[in-house]
Amino acid sequence: MSTNSDVSSPTQTARLELPGKDPVQLPVEVGTENEHAVDISKLRSQTGYITLDNGYGNTGSCRSDITYIDGEKGILRHRGYAIEDLAASTTFIETAYMLIWGELPTADQLETMRRLLTEHELLHEGLRHHFEGFPPYGHPMAMLSAMINACSCYHPELLELEDEHHFEEATAKLLSKVRTIAAFSYRKSLGLPIVYPDPKRSYCNNFLHMMFSLPHVPYEPTREEVRALSLFLILHADHEQNCSTATVRMVGSSKANLFASVAAGVCALWGPLHGGANMRVIEMLENINAGDQSVDQVVEQVKKKEYLLWGFGHRVYKNFDPRALILKDAVDKLLEAKGIEDPLLDIAKQLESVATHDDYFLERKLYPNVDFYSGILLRAIGIPVNMFTVMFAIGRMPGWIANWYEVHKDPNGRIYRPRQVYTGPAKRPYVPLEERQ
Ligand code: ACO
């Protein structure tokens, strides 16, 4: 089999030769940023062949208007806006609005969104009682996923999103309640009374209040802490077709409702190769800090493939992850503002320095990803390690919602249903129970 894709030609087709078949011309689609994709959607009907792509590293599963990444150049843009600009100038709620609705909000639109978030921040009492069923040692990600799915039961009117108004309401419920659910699950794990949201506080301030206020002592985060949390959420807000977002789209493609689809996304995010890596990074740094392993020993173990360097490597970024650069700077600033030193930050920088000068990592283009420094930022705000991936989920919520809506609105949308190459036994005769050995 030989392929000859002539993507530079203005005809924009690729020619594919397959054994025993006439050559086929496959259309080449070009994205806004001049990315080229060979459209193989008619390949099987024209040739009988399918493509095989382990882990989907070369497969474009959809067209999307939401996020653009150039992994070679370390570029990340949402709806055309550079992540650096969003990080420097917006709040998480502005970024969330822009991801979901396509444009940065006007002052009036932002005010409406804030009002809706406040309106929906409480949990239905029935939903709140679900927390009683979880053991205190239950993982907050399991609770988060279960509780988001349970929202489907309490808001059946939003299962069929008939118009934009319904979608706006479902969006506000999800964005607002996820924060309440996350804080309640933390309080539950400590056996502390639940703190209700305070409508006078901003999104991030309110979350920290629900996490850390005591009945007799309201918690007042500093401006720097609130800003750092907002930045953390912005940097996690979307990342095109990552494992959890692809999951949300996959589930949504069957016409499953928004709550169910996002609950599935939470489960996908939990894995340590994805969002769960932020917990592993801190565990790794804590081990080094405790003297269990040295930086050099960790690097040697990684090179022997006995261990993964958590928070390193990325399917798409092959130069640097712009989010990691912003986070590293933000961690420095937050620690300075708080007047604290974190030994884990020194260890992380040491690890980064050793790894990024070592051939193993250079040859494989492995650099710190978003999870490498994020945990140190969260620690400085007082967020416990077992909540780190939940924090990621709160941040990713707008991206999941925007992607789900894109699938929902697509007039040409089809259920996502990949093919496979079957490698099991060929047809064989059935063996009755009494004859089996
Ligand atoms: N530590 C050690 N080796 C690594 C690492 C790592 N963190 N990441 C990749 N490699 C190695 C692979 O084993 C492979 O080695 P080989 O060529 O000798 O077989 C080589 O680098 C190339 O790997 P990729 O094909 O780039 O990896 P892939 O795209 O399949 O996986 C992933 C990407 C899952 C992020 C991987 O880098 C990893 O496991 N990282 C650690 C976990 C992590 O930090 N995950 C968070 C990612 S960001 C996010 O999801 C929010």
Side-chain angles (χ1 to χ4, degrees), residues 47 286 306 336 363 369 429:
T47 67
E286 275 174 343
E306 293 168 1
E336 197 189 322
E363 280 160 15
N369 60 47

Side-chain angles (χ1 to χ4, degrees), residues 54-55 57 236 239 242-244 269 271-278 280-281 302-303 305 307-318 321 323 360-361 363-372 392 396:
N54 186 16
H236 288 77
H239 213 235
N242 57 84
C243 179
S244 56
L269 185 74
L273 295 187
H274 190 15
N278 59 13
R280 299 289 173 113
V281 172
V302 169
K303 286 160 66 174
K305 296 207 176 278
Y307 191 68
L308 274 176
L309 188 52
W310 297 106
F312 255 68
H314 199 274
R315 172 61 59 80
V316 183
Y317 293 121
K318 297 298 169 196
D321 179 338
R323 302 166 302 171
Y360 177 94
F361 298 89
E363 280 160 15
R364 290 169 178 77
K365 302 188 170 144
L366 302 174
Y367 298 88
N369 60 47
V370 69
D371 293 316
F372 196 64
F392 192 149
R396 187 53 55 88

Side-chain angles (χ1 to χ4, degrees), residues 23-67:
V24 284
Q25 298 290 332
L26 300 168
V28 170
E29 187 153 330
V30 185
T32 317
E33 295 284 351
N34 207 28
E35 280 182 308
H36 289 71
V38 180
D39 178 351
I40 55 146
S41 50
K42 300 267 186 309
L43 182 66
R44 188 170 179 280
S45 60
Q46 284 178 359
T47 67
Y49 281 70
I50 61 165
T51 56
L52 185 60
D53 185 16
N54 186 16
Y56 305 136
N58 305 281
T59 297
S61 61
C62 60
R63 298 174 181 86
S64 179
D65 295 347
I66 304 168
T67 289

Side-chain angles (χ1 to χ4, degrees), residues 178-189:
V178 68
R179 170 187 59 160
T180 313
I181 292 169
F184 282 16
S185 68
Y186 169 68
R187 306 288 295 203
K188 164 81 189 158
S189 72

Side-chain angles (χ1 to χ4, degrees), residues 54-359:
N54 186 16
Y56 305 136
N58 305 281
T59 297
S61 61
C62 60
R63 298 174 181 86
S64 179
D65 295 347
I66 304 168
T67 289
Y68 170 69
I69 302 176
D70 182 330
E72 273 66 37
K73 295 188 185 141
I75 292 173
L76 168 61
R77 294 187 205 127
H78 299 311
R79 307 273 190 196
Y81 296 109
I83 190 65
E84 291 80 6
D85 292 340
L86 295 170
S89 308
T90 66
T91 62
F92 174 58
I93 295 308
E94 277 176 278
T95 292
Y97 183 101
M98 177 271 297
L99 277 167
I100 295 166
W101 297 105
E103 297 295 337
L104 285 166
T106 62
D108 282 352
Q109 287 165 333
L110 194 57
E111 195 40 47
T112 304
M113 181 156 177
R114 290 208 167 112
R115 186 179 47 71
L116 280 171
L117 291 175
T118 303
E119 205 174 290
H120 294 295
E121 64 193 0
L122 282 171
L123 300 186
H124 187 288
E125 275 300 286
L127 201 51
R128 195 177 65 74
H129 287 309
H130 283 264
F131 283 101
E132 305 310 321
F134 295 118
Y137 47 83
H139 197 291
M141 283 297 272
M143 294 188 209
L144 185 69
S145 169
M147 294 298 285
I148 290 175
N149 208 4
C151 285
S152 315
C153 306
Y154 290 89
H155 305 289
E157 75 285 4
L158 296 177
L159 299 190
E160 304 290 330
L161 299 183
E162 280 151 19
D163 54 32
E164 230 170 53
H165 169 71
H166 277 93
F167 175 65
E168 188 181 27
E169 196 180 328
T171 292
K173 278 197 185 346
L174 252 181
L175 284 176
S176 193
K177 290 186 195 305
V178 68
R179 170 187 59 160
T180 313
I181 292 169
F184 282 16
S185 68
Y186 169 68
R187 306 288 295 203
K188 164 81 189 158
S189 72
L190 292 184
L192 287 171
I194 276 165
V195 174
Y196 284 96
D198 174 355
K200 289 190 287 304
R201 296 183 187 237
S202 70
Y203 189 89
C204 292
N205 189 318
N206 210 349
F207 173 71
L208 294 172
H209 155 69
M210 285 189 276
M211 287 283 289
F212 301 126
S213 281
L214 295 171
H216 51 293
V217 194
Y219 180 79
E220 289 302 337
T222 63
R223 268 188 47 184
E224 287 83 8
E225 286 168 332
V226 171
R227 181 62 209 147
L229 179 56
S230 180
L231 177 75
F232 170 93
L233 299 177
I234 291 168
L235 294 177
H236 288 77
D238 191 45
H239 213 235
E240 54 122 294
Q241 301 312 312
N242 57 84
C243 179
S244 56
T245 303
T247 300
V248 170
R249 289 186 78 115
M250 169 77 84
V251 177
S253 79
S254 75
K255 304 286 179 211
N257 70 71
L258 179 61
F259 300 109
S261 305
V262 166
V266 172
C267 294
L269 185 74
W270 190 359
L273 295 187
H274 190 15
N278 59 13
M279 291 174 62
R280 299 289 173 113
V281 172
I282 291 293
E283 284 158 15
M284 174 178 77
L285 298 176
E286 275 174 343
N287 280 344
I288 298 173
N289 192 37
D292 296 348
Q293 285 171 304
S294 69
V295 164
D296 289 337
Q297 278 170 333
V298 168
V299 170
E300 282 316 306
Q301 262 187 300
V302 169
K303 286 160 66 174
K304 284 193 221 148
K305 296 207 176 278
E306 293 168 1
Y307 191 68
L308 274 176
L309 188 52
W310 297 106
F312 255 68
H314 199 274
R315 172 61 59 80
V316 183
Y317 293 121
K318 297 298 169 196
N319 188 334
F320 65 93
D321 179 338
R323 302 166 302 171
L325 289 187
I326 299 170
L327 272 169
K328 188 178 175 183
D329 182 51
V331 169
D332 279 333
K333 289 191 176 129
L334 181 64
L335 294 191
E336 197 189 322
K338 289 182 69 113
I340 53 173
E341 284 181 16
D342 187 342
L344 300 198
L345 178 59
D346 297 333
I347 295 170
K349 286 183 178 174
Q350 224 181 313
L351 253 183
E352 179 185 348
S353 170
V354 173
T356 51
H357 289 89
D358 187 296
D359 282 347

